[in-house]
Amino acid sequence: MDQLQAILQRTFGYTTLREGQRPVMEQLLAGRDVLSVMPTGAGKSLCYQLPALAMPGITLVVSPLISLMKDQVESLIHCGVAAAYLNSSLTERQYALALRYAGEGRYKLIYVAPERLDTPGFLRFAAGTPISMVAVDEAHCVSQWGQDFRPSYLKIPDFLAKLPRRPVVGAFTATATPEVRQDIERGLGLQTPFEIVSGFDRSNLFFVVEEPRDKKTALLRFLRQHQGESGIVYCNTRKNVDEVTELLRQDKWPVTRYHAGLEPEERRRNQEAFVYGSAAIMVATNAFGMGIDKPDVRFVVHYNMPKDLESYYQEAGRAGRDGEDAVCLLLYGGKDVVTNQFLIELRDEKDDSSEEAYQARVSRDLERLKQMTFYCHTQDCLRATILRYFGEKALGNCGKCGNCVGGDMEDVTDLGRILLQAVDQSGQRFGMGRIIEIVTGGDTGAVTSWSLDRLAVYGRLAGTSRDQLRAVLRLLVSQGCLIQTEGQYPVLVLGEKAGDVLQGRQKLFLRRKRSAKGQKAAEPVRESAGDEALLERLKAVRGRLARMRGVPAYVIFSDKTLREMSALRPTAVEQLRQISGVGEYKQSQYGKDFVACVQKYLQEKGEA
Ligand code: ADP
Ligand code: ZN
C-alpha cells in the first residue's frame, strides 16, 4: 500500500481516492505547483490535506472565509490531525497563543486569512518555521474579473518571496473559465503548474425544472416530499427571502434566513442554526453559501431563476457534497427573466467604466441569461445541457434529471405546424404573445388594427391552453425552427429547421406536464439499504456527541457513514473500520458510543 493510501484509510477512514485527487496529490508531493479546478463536493480539501500529512513541516492554507476555516479545522481535529486557524475571529491573546504554538511546530496544517500574510507577527513566524506547502483555497478570488475578487489575495506572491525557501503552491477552485485560470496562474505566481480540470458532472444530483402556476404551492409541496431533510431555498431578492421565510414559518417548517440586509449578528446566528442543524431549511439570497461546507444538504431549491448557469451550478452544487443523493429544483417563472434583464442593464453609480466596456458587459451577461433561460425551457437532458455549457461532451440521456425521467411524450407536431404558419403569415414581426393570440382567435384591438383576423390560421387553435402553446413555441425555438430576436421586444422569425416541420419531415414531441404525483415518482428514491429505525438512533447518538463537543453533527460522522453503519450493525469497535468515513481517531473516540447503541437496539429487537 502506498503512503497516500495508508493515510487515507488511517486518518480519514476512506478506502479510495476519487477521480482527480491522486494526480494532484502526487504532483504536490513531487514539488510541482498545481492548479486544480474541481466542482464543488468533488473533494478538493483532501487534495492538500492528505499531502500535508505526508510532507515534513507545515502546510499553510490560505482561505477567504472564517466560517470555512473553522469548519475545516474542526473536521481535521476530529480526524486526529493537529490543525489551527489564524483569523480575526480570535482575540489578540488567542491569536498570539496560536502563533506561538505554530512556531513550536505543534500544528501540521494552519489555515490563515489572506489579510494576515503581511503582518509582522505572522511573517516572523513564517520565516522561522519550515513551510512545505501553501494551499490557496478558492483561488479564483485572485481574479479581478470574478465577483469574488479579494485584493488581499494579490499579496500571496509577495509573501512567498519573503520566505527563506519557496514552498510548493497548490491553487484550488470550483469555478474557472480559461481567463480566470490564467489570472490565477499569474496572480499567484505559480511556476509551470500542473493544471487539472476535473469532470464537472455531479452524478448524485438530480436536476429538475418546474414552471408552476404558483411557486408558493409548488415549494410547499416539494418540502412535504422532503420532510426531515436539510436544504437551501435561494431567492433573487431580500424581499422574496423575507416572504418565503414567513410562508414557511407559518407552515411550521424549521426555517431560517440569510441576506445582506440583516445585521451581521443575525446573519451569523442564522447561518449557525443551519449548519448546526437547529434550522434545517435556509432561505437566502446568493449572499449565502460561499464557505458553507455543510455536506448533508439534501436539496437546493431556486425560487427564482439565477442570472447565469455558472451561478446556478455553483449554488445548486451546494447540495449533496457528501456524495449522497440530493435534488436541485429550479422553479422557473417568466418574470425571473425580466428581473434579471433589469439587473444586468442596471448601471451602478460607482461604475466608472467606459460606455464601451459597459455595453460589452451587458451583452455578455444577456447572452449568459439567454443560456440560463434555455436551460429552463429545454426538453433535452438537463445534466447534459449544463455539462455542454461548461464545455464538456455529454450524451443526451442521463436518466437522472426531470427531463430524462417520467412524463409521457405528446406528439405536438400539428400544433407546431400551425404556430409556424402563424409566424409566417403574420410577417415574422410578432412575439410569442401575439402569435398565441392569433391562433387562439383573440379579439383585441391589435388583432383588428393589423387585420390579423383575416389570416388563414386565425382561431385555428381556439380552445388550446396558452401554456401549452407557449411550451410548443419554446420547443420550436429550442429545435431551431424559430428564432427569437434580441432586445426589449423580441419577435419570432422562422429558423432554418422550420421547413422540416412544415413539410412533415420532422415530428415534435413535448413532455406532458407531470402531475404532483408524477413529480414525486420522478425524483430519486433514496436507496434504503440499512435499517431506518436504527439509523434514527445512530443520528441521536451523533447529535448528542456533537452538542457535547460544540461541533456540527457532520463533523462527527456523515449521513453516509451512519447509513452504512445501520446496514452493517457493528457490535464490536473493530468492525467500524470497515465503514467509509471511520478512521483511527474517530473509531477510538466515538466507536464505543455507536457500538453500544447498536447492541442495545439489537437486544431490544431480540436479535442479539
Ligand atoms: P469541495 O471542497 O471540493 O467542495 P470537500 O473537500 O468538502 O469538497 O469534500 C466533499 C465531501 O467528500 C467531504 O465530506 C469529504 O470528506 C468527502 N470526500 C473527499 N474525498 C473523498 C474520498 N476519496 N472518499 C470518500 N469521501 C471523500
Ligand atoms: Zn438527464
Side-chain angles (χ1 to χ4, degrees):
M1 190 176 359
D2 75 347
Q3 189 192 16
L4 290 175
Q5 185 68 29
I7 301 176
L8 181 73
Q9 289 180 5
R10 191 174 63 234
T11 305
F12 297 95
Y14 297 138
T15 46
T16 40
L17 288 172
R18 290 186 184 156
E19 201 187 314
Q21 286 181 327
R22 179 174 283 276
V24 170
M25 294 179 186
E26 285 177 345
Q27 294 291 333
L28 288 170
L29 282 176
R32 178 158 175 209
D33 286 359
V34 165
L35 169 51
S36 166
V37 184
M38 277 186 166
T40 311
K44 274 186 293 295
S45 326
L46 208 63
C47 288
Y48 54 81
Q49 290 171 345
L50 213 166
L53 299 181
M55 287 177 191
I58 293 174
T59 289
L60 293 180
V61 183
V62 181
S63 173
L65 285 143
I66 291 176
S67 59
L68 191 123
M69 291 188 205
K70 184 160 166 269
D71 246 48
Q72 298 235 342
V73 166
E74 263 165 10
S75 291
L76 282 169
I77 291 174
H78 283 79
C79 288
V81 176
Y85 54 84
L86 296 171
N87 61 37
S88 57
S89 74
L90 301 178
T91 63
E92 222 163 286
R93 271 194 52 206
Q94 288 172 321
Y95 184 83
L97 194 65
L99 207 54
R100 202 182 85 212
Y101 286 167
E104 291 169 5
R106 294 204 198 186
Y107 306 122
K108 222 32 211 165
L109 282 113
I110 298 171
Y111 284 70
V112 59
E115 294 77 25
R116 296 276 155 175
L117 292 176
D118 64 350
T119 57
F122 187 79
L123 277 171
R124 221 173 308 123
F125 145 73
T129 322
I131 294 172
S132 317
M133 172 162 63
V134 172
V136 183
D137 207 0
E138 312 288 354
H140 61 280
C141 289
V142 78
S143 169
Q144 309 195 31
W145 294 108
Q147 301 156 2
D148 303 321
F149 175 53
R150 297 267 294 221
S152 51
Y153 263 59
L154 293 169
K155 295 178 189 166
I156 294 172
D158 292 344
F159 168 74
L160 293 172
K162 284 182 192 144
L163 297 178
R165 218 192 91 236
R166 185 185 184 279
V168 64
V169 181
F172 299 86
T173 176
T175 44
T177 56
E179 303 92 71
V180 174
R181 253 182 277 161
Q182 228 169 43
D183 278 6
I184 293 174
E185 195 177 326
R186 263 191 242 127
L188 295 180
L190 300 182
Q191 298 177 353
T192 54
F194 169 70
E195 279 198 35
I196 176 167
V197 182
S198 300
F200 264 61
D201 187 20
R202 297 276 311 280
S203 60
N204 61 321
L205 301 186
F206 187 97
F207 293 95
V208 204
V209 176
E210 268 188 70
E211 187 177 357
R213 199 166 286 271
D214 179 38
K215 290 190 180 185
K216 291 187 169 143
T217 317
L219 176 62
L220 291 174
R221 192 183 67 217
F222 177 86
L223 292 180
R224 279 194 286 275
Q225 291 165 5
H226 293 266
Q227 292 270 8
E229 295 181 357
S230 178
I232 307 173
V233 179
Y234 277 112
C235 301
N236 60 350
T237 61
R238 297 173 192 184
K239 189 165 147 275
N240 277 345
V241 168
D242 292 340
E243 268 179 38
V244 171
T245 307
E246 196 43 43
L247 173 79
L248 300 191
R249 206 162 266 156
Q250 281 179 8
D251 205 43
K252 305 274 188 298
W253 292 95
V255 59
T256 186
R257 63 178 179 160
Y258 191 102
H259 59 63
L262 303 175
E263 293 296 321
E265 172 53 26
E266 187 185 348
R267 283 208 299 260
R268 196 195 54 75
R269 214 173 42 232
N270 294 354
Q271 173 169 326
E272 209 160 278
F274 178 65
V275 171
Y276 283 69
S278 63
I281 302 171
M282 169 59 89
V283 182
T285 60
N286 61 5
F288 177 77
M290 192 177 165
I292 303 300
D293 244 352
K294 191 172 159 59
D296 55 354
V297 173
R298 295 271 69 86
F299 59 83
V300 170
V301 175
H302 277 77
Y303 195 75
N304 301 104
M305 180 183 76
K307 66 184 193 333
D308 52 43
L309 269 166
E310 280 90 345
S311 315
Y312 180 64
Y313 202 49
Q314 189 176 40
E315 287 156 20
R318 295 190 175 122
R321 292 174 84 132
D322 53 10
E324 295 255 285
D325 279 340
V327 182
C328 306
L329 167 67
L330 197 161
L331 295 175
Y332 171 79
K335 235 170 89 183
D336 296 337
V337 183
V338 183
T339 313
N340 277 309
Q341 262 166 355
F342 172 78
L343 290 174
I344 288 172
E345 280 159 8
L346 201 65
R347 189 162 186 176
D348 198 323
E349 280 164 18
K350 282 176 282 180
D351 178 1
D352 54 4
S353 58
S354 67
E355 182 60 23
E356 213 173 22
Y358 163 76
Q359 290 297 346
R361 179 187 67 73
V362 168
S363 72
R364 181 197 68 195
D365 289 356
L366 286 177
E367 176 57 32
R368 288 186 181 165
L369 177 63
K370 204 166 122 190
Q371 299 289 335
M372 182 71 241
T373 316
F374 176 79
Y375 172 82
C376 296
H377 292 161
T378 185
Q379 301 279 314
D380 198 354
C381 170
L382 293 173
R383 184 183 310 281
T385 307
I386 293 173
L387 293 177
R388 283 189 211 119
Y389 179 79
F390 289 111
E392 281 188 32
K393 288 198 185 67
L395 296 172
N397 199 332
C398 74
K400 228 183 150 185
C401 76
N403 284 359
C404 287
V405 179
D408 311 329
M409 298 306 268
E410 183 182 0
D411 187 338
V412 291
T413 315
D414 289 340
L415 299 188
R417 196 177 301 125
I418 293 169
L419 286 165
L420 286 174
Q421 286 164 351
V423 171
D424 186 28
Q425 290 174 15
S426 61
Q428 309 190 47
R429 58 189 165 145
F430 296 114
M432 287 199 181
R434 186 81 66 226
I435 296 297
I436 291 173
E437 214 172 273
I438 294 172
V439 296
T440 53
D443 185 18
T444 60
V447 166
T448 29
S449 67
W450 293 95
S451 304
L452 297 174
D453 46 1
R454 294 206 205 130
L455 301 177
V457 289
Y458 180 77
R460 281 280 300 280
L461 297 176
T464 310
S465 87
R466 297 176 65 86
D467 283 351
Q468 167 88 339
L469 293 172
R470 197 167 279 275
V472 177
L473 281 170
R474 284 189 192 131
L475 176 65
L476 288 166
V477 172
S478 71
Q479 303 283 315
C481 300
L482 285 175
I483 295 165
Q484 192 164 22
T485 62
E486 305 282 330
Q488 203 176 355
Y489 302 105
V491 303
L492 294 169
V493 299
L494 295 181
E496 59 178 296
K497 296 279 167 57
D500 294 351
V501 172
L502 285 169
Q503 287 145 34
R505 284 193 299 275
Q506 195 198 325
K507 281 188 163 298
L508 293 170
F509 291 96
L510 197 61
R511 218 170 291 268
R512 200 170 269 140
K513 273 230 162 63
R514 284 175 293 269
S515 64
K517 249 163 69 204
Q519 180 69 33
K520 186 174 172 149
E523 270 181 28
V525 186
R526 202 147 299 133
E527 48 190 290
S528 55
D531 179 328
E532 292 296 322
L534 175 56
L535 181 62
E536 285 314 307
R537 294 205 192 181
L538 294 171
K539 282 188 180 171
V541 173
R542 176 179 70 175
R544 185 165 49 76
L545 291 173
R547 273 191 302 281
M548 261 161 49
R549 287 168 173 74
V551 295
Y554 59 77
V555 167
I556 308 287
F557 282 132
S558 71
D559 284 359
K560 188 172 175 187
T561 299
L562 290 194
R563 193 178 302 283
E564 277 188 36
M565 210 180 285
S566 74
L568 186 73
R569 311 208 280 192
T571 49
V573 172
E574 297 69 47
Q575 283 173 283
L576 283 170
R577 284 297 294 282
Q578 298 167 28
I579 297 167
S580 168
V582 188
E584 231 165 42
Y585 183 83
K586 290 190 179 179
Q587 180 190 19
S588 72
Q589 290 292 304
Y590 320 125
K592 280 198 305 293
D593 293 273
F594 287 93
V595 165
C597 171
V598 173
Q599 281 169 341
K600 181 149 177 283
Y601 177 77
L602 292 178
Q603 262 161 21
E604 281 174 27
K605 281 188 64 169
E607 291 181 32

